[in-house]
Amino acid sequence: MAKNLSKVFSAELDGIDAKLIEVEVDINIGLHSFNIVGLADKALSEAKERVSSALKNSGIKPPTKENRKITVNLAPADIKKTGSQYDLAISIGYLLATKQIKDFETRNKIFIGELSLDGSLRSISGALNIAVMAKKMGFEFIFLPKQNAEEAALIKGIKIVPTSKISELIDHLEERNLIDYQKEIDFSPSDNFFGVDISEIKGQENAKRALTVSAAGGHHILMSGQPGAGKTMMAQSLISILPPPSLEEVIEITKIYSASGFLKENSFLNFRPFRSPHHSASSVAVIGGGTNPRPGEISLAHNGILFMDEIPEFKRDVLEALRQPIEEGVIHVSRSKRAVSFPAEFLFVAAMNPCPCGYFGDSEKECRCTANEVFRYQKKVSGPLLDRIDIQIDVPRVKIEELRKKGIDENYSSKIKNQVKRARELQKERFLKAGVDIELNSEMSSKETDEFVSLDESAESFLKSVLDKSFISARGYYRILKIARTIADLEESKIVSSNHLAEAFQYRVKDGER
């Protein structure tokens, strides 16, 4: 390495994935100047002031006192550099280039962190994402703000050095006062009920059964019913019967929230997320995007639940944009200069009223809507989107007698949860044995559905008779078979029988389709 040249490593977020960035600092003869090159944005160009003040207030000679030309290059130059996480790397590179700290091995270390003017470090976004990249590329140490250390420690096999001040870091690098490494996190998954357990729902046995099937096979569900029937409460209760996430799922969820800047200090998400965007949300807010593309609500719901209440009230472009991620589990955001993909494997739960006033078809309260208003309202949710929602049920109003019943069966939710867990285990074992890289019945392709859904004679006969009387699309046909396979898994049956198919048809075929 040249006499007045240093190179250290930092990282840049590209979507939710991190990319390695080389930070080169060159000190040259000439009048004082401090330039940062390499496609840096405004926040990064302001790093010159933060670095100078932080070093000065830490008792170190800052770049502003150097009567020489200072050039910081961020490579590769074709990647746009954003944010303030390069402050720490620039500072260390400058200190190495000016010989203010002794040389050390830089090839196995990554430096990330924003500097305050007093030399302390502020938290950054994407610490976990950077740790994943660092381990994959063979780095041994990550130096980052103390507030992000616990998050990054989810990744085992790499040493996390939590740093509070740059002066503290210098003492560590010069081996005067070593910083203790962050302890590895003992992962323990958590259930997040959002205050609603399925055992708290009174009545609605058919709807609760549909929720069980939805949770067991990962099937999207639409609930239609009068206001106050309990649709929102049931959607929230779905979390209570889903199994807690695995470590791999926790890492995926935390990467998304960390990249979005939604994590609290020293935390990670060890529960399944529940996202419920308002119907006024824009397409970018729900789907993701922006000038520098960021995850939207469908990605924040990854490995969890996306709930859309009053779905006809959402903008048409938002609803139609859901079609591709619902089908593929990923969203591709394309812009003129870059394209980013975000994971979006969520359980889609939607709720709607049958008409604008909410009482169409109600036996107790008269609907005041005209036939045209009812038709237009229901058509706000397009056929192609409905065709992608596996389970579609009507949720009737609960009778007062049911509501007045006291006492909760505390074993009900644990019983349902165990059923769901066992059904998911059977699916995972089946696909693993066949060498198929999926885990849930809802993820099966048409070819895989033909392979894994075995019907007995009664089921074959029932299927033929019903298909002759109903109009069902090819997509709808395969979704019925997937639902039937899930119902059979809940009963731990290897063969799909006619009663499994009958229940599956009940969830798919509406009165108008019979």
Side-chain angles (χ1 to χ4, degrees):
M1 189 173 288
K3 185 177 180 182
N4 294 317
L5 176 67
S6 68
K7 180 168 74 172
V8 296
F9 294 98
S10 192
E12 172 71 29
L13 286 181
D14 182 27
I16 66 166
D17 295 318
K19 291 186 175 180
L20 186 68
I21 301 296
E22 296 179 6
V23 179
E24 298 175 305
V25 181
D26 177 58
I27 310 295
N28 217 330
I29 297 171
L31 294 175
H32 170 74
S33 65
F34 190 174
N35 299 307
I36 299 176
V37 298
L39 209 59
D41 71 349
K42 179 67 175 174
L44 186 48
S45 65
E46 292 171 350
K48 295 180 288 188
E49 308 303 328
R50 290 192 298 272
V51 168
S52 294
S53 294
L55 292 178
K56 175 178 70 70
N57 293 323
S58 299
I60 303 165
K61 184 181 178 182
T64 51
K65 297 295 183 180
E66 286 284 351
N67 195 23
R68 289 186 288 179
K69 184 177 181 182
I70 305 168
T71 304
V72 177
N73 179 44
L74 306 175
D78 60 340
I79 297 177
K80 185 173 179 58
K81 320 301 186 306
T82 60
S84 54
Q85 74 271 17
Y86 295 100
D87 291 2
L88 188 60
I90 292 171
S91 299
I92 297 300
Y94 165 75
L95 295 175
L96 282 171
T98 56
K99 308 300 181 185
Q100 294 191 64
I101 59 174
K102 65 180 182 181
D103 286 341
F104 60 88
E105 181 60 69
T106 61
R107 289 180 298 177
N108 59 354
K109 298 176 177 66
I110 288 181
F111 296 88
I112 50 172
E114 177 188 336
L115 286 172
S116 297
L117 299 185
D118 63 356
S120 60
L121 269 73
R122 299 181 187 273
S123 62
I124 51 98
S125 299
L128 177 66
N129 317 52
I130 294 167
V132 171
M133 179 272 295
K135 183 179 179 181
K136 191 180 296 184
M137 299 189 70
F139 283 86
E140 297 179 35
F141 303 90
I142 299 181
F143 296 85
L144 44 58
K146 193 173 183 178
Q147 302 94 307
N148 301 110
E150 192 169 307
E151 171 194 339
L154 266 179
I155 306 303
K156 301 186 185 301
I158 190 164
K159 293 181 176 66
I160 307 299
V161 186
T163 308
S164 299
K165 296 181 177 181
I166 191 167
S167 56
E168 186 180 281
L169 175 56
I170 293 169
D171 287 343
H172 175 88
L173 293 173
E174 294 194 327
E175 300 180 347
R176 288 195 297 270
N177 189 12
L178 296 179
I179 301 172
D180 293 332
Y181 300 135
Q182 176 69 34
K183 293 180 180 178
E184 291 186 344
I185 297 297
D186 293 326
F187 167 73
S188 57
S190 170
D191 294 316
N192 193 3
F193 296 131
F194 290 88
V196 179
D197 190 279
I198 197 168
S199 62
E200 298 173 31
I201 298 172
K202 297 181 178 180
Q204 302 291 14
E205 298 305 321
N206 290 337
K208 286 191 282 190
R209 171 63 177 178
L211 290 174
T212 303
V213 175
S214 171
H219 302 287
H220 308 305
I221 182 170
L222 169 66
M223 295 178 285
S224 177
Q226 286 76 31
K231 302 184 294 294
T232 301
M233 188 176 180
M234 283 189 283
Q236 293 173 341
S237 74
L238 191 52
I239 282 280
S240 71
I241 59 174
L242 287 174
S246 63
L247 176 59
E248 291 74 21
E249 288 175 322
V250 164
I251 290 173
E252 289 175 356
I253 297 167
T254 304
K255 280 177 66 178
I256 296 168
Y257 277 74
S258 182
S260 303
F262 290 158
L263 277 188
K264 296 179 181 178
E265 291 183 0
N266 279 325
S267 68
F268 56 90
L269 264 64
N270 62 342
F271 53 84
R272 295 191 183 277
F274 181 95
R275 304 295 298 186
S276 180
H278 190 262
H279 58 74
S280 62
S282 67
S283 178
V284 169
V286 175
I287 305 302
T291 306
N292 294 314
R294 292 173 59 122
E297 290 290 336
I298 62 172
S299 295
L300 294 170
H302 181 65
N303 288 330
I305 292 174
L306 176 69
F307 175 51
M308 285 188 163
D309 200 6
E310 304 299 341
I311 189 173
E313 302 298 338
F314 282 81
K315 298 182 182 72
R316 183 76 177 211
D317 63 322
V318 173
L319 295 181
E320 295 309 303
L322 287 173
R323 285 156 56 174
Q324 179 255 330
I326 281 178
E327 198 83 0
E328 299 180 14
V330 65
I331 180 68
H332 305 288
V333 179
S334 298
R335 295 294 179 263
S336 58
K337 295 183 179 179
R338 63 189 296 202
V340 178
S341 295
F342 297 114
E345 290 187 17
F346 53 88
L347 182 54
F348 182 50
V349 182
M352 63 180 289
N353 295 328
C355 67
C357 80
Y359 296 100
F360 178 71
D362 190 6
S363 58
E364 297 180 12
K365 191 166 183 178
E366 182 182 357
C367 173
R368 298 180 179 274
C369 305
T370 65
N372 186 46
E373 286 174 336
V374 174
F375 176 79
R376 286 169 55 196
Y377 184 79
Q378 294 183 349
K379 286 300 176 184
K380 286 183 179 180
V381 186
S382 69
L385 178 59
L386 284 174
D387 211 27
R388 287 168 167 81
I389 301 176
D390 301 15
I391 299 175
Q392 300 169 27
I393 60 169
D394 294 321
V395 181
R397 184 190 289 113
V398 183
K399 295 182 178 180
I400 298 298
E401 296 77 32
E402 288 283 349
L403 293 176
R404 287 184 59 81
K405 287 182 180 178
K406 295 184 179 180
I408 295 174
D409 183 359
E410 295 179 355
N411 296 322
Y412 181 80
S413 59
S414 60
K415 177 186 173 184
I416 297 299
K417 189 165 187 172
N418 288 334
Q419 278 186 320
V420 170
K421 183 180 178 183
R422 179 57 184 155
R424 286 191 169 216
E425 287 172 352
L426 289 173
Q427 295 166 59
K428 192 172 182 178
E429 290 169 9
R430 182 188 305 126
F431 299 134
L432 188 63
K433 188 176 180 180
V436 180
D437 188 24
I438 58 176
E439 293 188 1
L440 297 173
N441 289 332
S442 60
E443 300 171 359
M444 289 190 292
S445 65
S446 55
K447 179 182 177 182
E448 289 160 353
T449 305
D450 290 333
E451 179 182 350
F452 293 115
V453 180
S454 301
L455 307 179
D456 61 17
E457 289 185 10
S458 65
E460 290 282 5
S461 176
F462 176 84
L463 184 63
K464 186 177 185 305
S465 63
V466 173
L467 289 178
D468 288 341
K469 300 175 184 177
S470 304
F471 171 75
I472 297 174
S473 68
R475 183 185 285 114
Y477 164 75
Y478 280 109
R479 290 190 184 276
I480 287 170
L481 292 182
K482 294 176 190 178
I483 297 169
R485 178 65 266 173
T486 298
I487 296 168
D489 286 333
L490 282 167
E491 297 181 5
E492 300 190 33
S493 172
K494 293 184 179 180
I495 304 295
V496 174
S497 61
S498 57
N499 63 305
H500 301 143
L501 271 176
E503 185 178 349
F505 266 95
Q506 173 189 327
Y507 297 139
R508 282 291 301 183
V509 181
K510 293 297 186 183
D511 291 337
E513 297 173 326
R514 292 191 177 101

